Amino acid sequence: MEMTAAMEGAAAGGSWAAGFSLSAVASLLFFFSMLQEHIPFQLQDCLAAMAARLHALLSPYVTVTIDDHASDSFSRSEAFLAVEAYLSASPCAARARRLRADIAEGADRMALAVDDHEEVADDFRGATMWWRKSKAIPRANVISWAPRQDERRSYHLTFHRRHRALVEADYFPHVLAEGRAVTIRNRQRRLFTNNPGADWSGYDDARVWSHVKLEHPSTFATLAMDPVRKQEIIDDLDMFRDGKDYYASVGKAWKRGYLLFRPPGTGKSTMIAAMANFLDYDVYDLELTAVESNTELRRLFIETTGKSIIVIEDIDCSIDLTGKRKKKKKDKKKKKKMMPPSDDDDEEKKVTLSGLLNFIDGLWSACGGERIIIFTTNHKEKLDPALIRRGRMDMHIEMSYCCFESFKVLAKNYLGVEQHEMFGEIRQLLEEADMSPADVAENLMPRSKTKDVDACLERLVKALHEAKETKAAGGNDDDDESSSSSDDSDSSSDSEEQDKLAVVTKLDFSLAQPNYII
């Protein structure tokens, strides 16, 4: 009985003590809230600063704050985004009790982030790092014209001061690198196209590029090409992607150029999509006819990001890049007398060969890094040698007609077969006829849900026989050689001198062709 009474008395005393402590805390909070209403904001800031200095003297820990917005910018802080991405993929996020799910701009999947006022611990080389996310709400008497600035979020990193050198030298670079890698893995790859210069405004946030989601399914596994040449391209792309330190050591900008040439339907656009999927890069499809000047071309390049492929398709058809140089001063003076001044002004505003060369290999091309520039053309001989020399178009890739190895890739993709009794005949016909991979794929395409392999292969054999007969009859003669010289000639009255200039220009092309074709 005495023990029971003692326990009841202790329980009563404990409950009384707990009630007293709660009431004391509530009274203290009420006292501080009343005190804040009568203390000026300046004095509150002064007291907070004094308390922080006192805490710094007594505590052995250091705290680093990373705000979500820079003080002089409306955009999100790159450091804040990197920390958020790092913590979302770090094992320490699994120990968090409150998380927030969201799809970031440009992301392709939902990501988890540490919620407000949540704290997690990260272990790095034996040192413990505490991350805490806070949210600051402005005072009620402050008017904000920008709603996105109403709430400010920050990450606070706390660590022992003996680990300060480790944090500055190793931990921060580790967080930044891992955060960027996570952002790249989660991002949505995009296909960009340039907007006309007339649509640009004078503001800094004017969009010179528009984009859609890049969803092209082409890969090197499905690309119809000779396996040896395909592997050479893959190895070259691997070398470029991992070659940041190498490019810096040799003093070159981290970029690489590829020229894809040969007739239509040989897979040039498909090759570009396979490169983008292999490297996980964005694609910028540059339409030169919409660019009015070299200045606009430079602005477009500056607005591109790293880990991207800049493509100019059919460059020989975009602008006049057939090897013309500046004309003689005499001819220029004569034309100035005959043409209005406005025509000269319009000509000066167009993109020139010099501007395009600076775009590829000039000083501005070194702004940023990890970019690939690709030109495609059906007529390589029409391009100026300076445009496709080494250092600008580093690798020339000939997209040839369909060979037997390419056919086997297409047969496996479209029909799911790797061997067939008709393969021998098809191999012989492919050696005797010229047919693009696109035409071969169209003949292999099933016409019904039930794949009739024999019917598809017979249709291809018939098309190959027709292509063979056409080739034997001389139906593939290319008359572009005779017209290219006329493109290089001028329309002035002195025709004999212009014809001589065209012949010299054509001879210059034949002597300057590089010998590094794949």
Side-chain angles (χ1 to χ4, degrees):
M1 295 293 293
E2 294 179 359
M3 184 177 294
T4 303
M7 292 177 63
E8 291 177 355
S15 61
W16 178 86
F20 176 77
S21 61
L22 291 176
S23 61
V25 171
S27 301
L28 194 61
L29 291 176
F30 176 76
F31 173 74
F32 278 116
S33 63
M34 294 294 295
L35 191 63
Q36 281 184 339
E37 295 180 359
H38 296 84
I39 296 178
F41 294 130
Q42 296 83 354
L43 184 57
Q44 291 183 22
D45 294 338
C46 182
L47 292 175
M50 292 177 61
R53 285 197 295 270
L54 181 62
H55 179 268
L57 292 175
L58 299 178
S59 175
Y61 293 96
V62 179
T63 300
V64 178
T65 301
I66 302 174
D67 294 323
D68 62 342
H69 286 82
S71 58
D72 57 347
S73 175
F74 292 105
S75 59
R76 302 286 301 274
S77 169
E78 184 181 0
F80 181 89
L81 295 176
V83 170
E84 190 159 71
Y86 169 77
L87 292 179
S88 65
S90 177
C92 62
R95 297 188 291 269
R97 294 180 177 271
R98 294 193 307 273
L99 297 171
R100 182 168 46 87
D102 194 7
I103 300 179
E105 182 180 359
D108 197 22
R109 65 188 70 178
M110 187 171 292
L112 296 177
V114 177
D115 201 1
D116 299 331
H117 309 296
E118 181 71 5
E119 183 174 298
V120 294
D122 186 23
D123 295 328
F124 181 76
R125 298 183 183 177
T128 303
M129 312 291 176
W130 290 275
W131 288 97
R132 182 173 58 86
K133 188 176 182 181
S134 64
K135 179 178 69 174
I137 301 177
R139 299 185 177 95
N141 59 347
V142 176
I143 300 176
S144 175
W145 297 101
R148 60 183 177 181
Q149 292 184 338
D150 289 344
E151 296 180 353
R152 289 290 184 137
R153 288 176 169 81
S154 303
Y155 276 104
H156 306 275
L157 172 63
T158 303
F159 54 90
H160 200 280
R161 58 189 175 193
R162 67 172 176 266
H163 300 311
R164 181 166 182 172
L166 176 67
V167 170
E168 294 180 3
D170 299 322
Y171 186 63
F172 276 156
H174 169 73
V175 171
L176 184 60
E178 292 295 325
R180 286 174 174 172
V182 172
T183 303
I184 292 173
R185 288 197 300 267
N186 294 337
R187 73 187 177 98
Q188 178 188 91
R189 288 187 300 107
R190 294 168 291 182
L191 173 62
F192 292 85
T193 184
N194 53 302
N195 298 322
D199 297 342
W200 301 359
S201 64
Y203 299 99
D204 293 336
D205 59 349
R207 291 190 175 183
V208 300
W209 295 96
S210 300
H211 68 269
V212 296
K213 185 178 180 181
L214 179 60
E215 296 180 311
H216 201 290
S218 175
T219 64
F220 279 106
T222 61
L223 184 64
M225 178 181 278
D226 181 71
V228 177
R229 293 193 298 158
K230 187 189 301 185
Q231 189 59 45
E232 290 178 357
I233 298 171
I234 293 174
D235 294 341
D236 191 80
L237 293 173
D238 268 330
M239 176 63 185
F240 171 78
R241 179 172 53 186
D242 302 330
K244 179 179 180 180
D245 296 336
Y246 175 77
Y247 276 82
S249 65
V250 299
K252 291 187 62 175
W254 193 13
K255 64 178 182 62
R256 192 154 180 83
Y258 294 87
L259 175 67
L260 309 182
F261 66 98
R262 284 296 278 170
T266 52
K268 294 185 288 293
S269 299
T270 306
M271 168 68 77
I272 296 172
M275 288 181 173
N277 289 329
F278 177 76
L279 296 171
D280 200 16
Y281 283 6
D282 293 330
V283 176
Y284 289 84
D285 186 11
L286 178 59
E287 179 56 53
L288 283 181
T289 56
V291 183
E292 296 182 356
S293 64
N294 295 332
T295 303
E296 287 190 5
L297 185 64
R298 188 163 52 245
R299 170 76 183 276
L300 286 167
F301 183 83
I302 295 173
E303 294 294 331
T304 61
T305 61
K307 296 185 179 298
S308 61
I309 299 176
I310 303 173
V311 180
I312 303 180
E313 292 195 272
D314 298 323
I315 189 171
D316 56 304
C317 302
S318 299
I319 56 177
D320 187 9
L321 299 174
T322 58
K324 288 185 180 179
R325 301 299 182 181
K326 291 184 178 179
K327 300 177 182 179
K328 294 181 179 180
K329 294 182 179 179
K330 294 181 180 180
D331 297 336
K332 191 173 183 180
K333 290 180 181 179
K334 291 181 180 179
K335 289 191 176 183
K336 281 186 177 180
K337 294 180 181 179
M338 299 176 62
M339 293 190 305
S342 59
D343 294 339
D344 292 337
D345 296 338
D346 293 339
E347 186 176 351
E348 291 178 358
K349 292 180 180 179
K350 296 297 182 182
V351 176
T352 63
L353 176 62
S354 175
L356 188 59
L357 295 180
N358 290 328
F359 171 83
I360 303 169
D361 198 31
L363 292 175
W364 288 96
S365 66
C367 299
E370 201 168 358
R371 290 184 179 92
I372 289 178
I373 301 175
I374 298 180
F375 292 164
T376 70
T377 179
N378 296 334
H379 305 283
K380 177 184 172 182
E381 67 279 356
K382 290 185 178 182
L383 300 180
D384 193 297
L387 189 65
I388 57 178
R389 68 161 176 82
R390 292 175 182 268
R392 291 186 176 130
M393 294 294 103
D394 303 284
M395 179 178 286
H396 290 199
I397 304 174
E398 182 178 6
M399 308 298 294
S400 60
Y401 290 108
C402 187
C403 62
F404 183 68
E405 295 296 333
S406 301
F407 160 75
K408 289 197 299 183
V409 175
L410 294 174
K412 183 178 179 181
N413 295 339
Y414 285 84
L415 302 176
V417 295
E418 298 182 6
Q419 294 292 335
H420 195 275
E421 58 183 8
M422 300 180 65
F423 277 16
E425 182 182 2
I426 293 175
R427 181 170 191 166
Q428 182 178 358
L429 288 172
L430 287 172
E431 295 175 355
E432 299 173 351
D434 291 338
M435 181 174 288
S436 66
D439 291 334
V440 173
E442 181 61 27
N443 285 284
L444 292 178
M445 180 76 72
R447 298 293 190 263
S448 63
K449 293 183 179 180
T450 58
K451 294 181 180 180
D452 191 347
V453 177
D454 294 336
C456 294
L457 293 178
E458 289 175 359
R459 184 167 57 246
L460 175 61
V461 169
K462 180 180 178 182
L464 285 172
H465 278 292
E466 295 176 356
K468 179 182 176 180
E469 294 175 357
T470 303
K471 182 180 179 180
N476 290 335
D477 291 338
D478 191 1
D479 297 329
D480 292 334
E481 294 292 338
S482 60
S483 62
S484 62
S485 60
S486 62
D487 292 337
D488 291 336
S489 63
D490 297 320
S491 59
S492 62
S493 59
D494 194 2
S495 59
E496 293 181 358
E497 183 178 355
Q498 298 298 333
D499 291 339
K500 293 179 181 179
L501 179 61
V503 172
V504 173
T505 303
K506 186 174 180 181
L507 179 60
D508 184 31
F509 274 111
S510 62
L511 295 177
Q513 293 301 319
N515 56 356
Y516 51 104
I517 300 174
I518 292 184

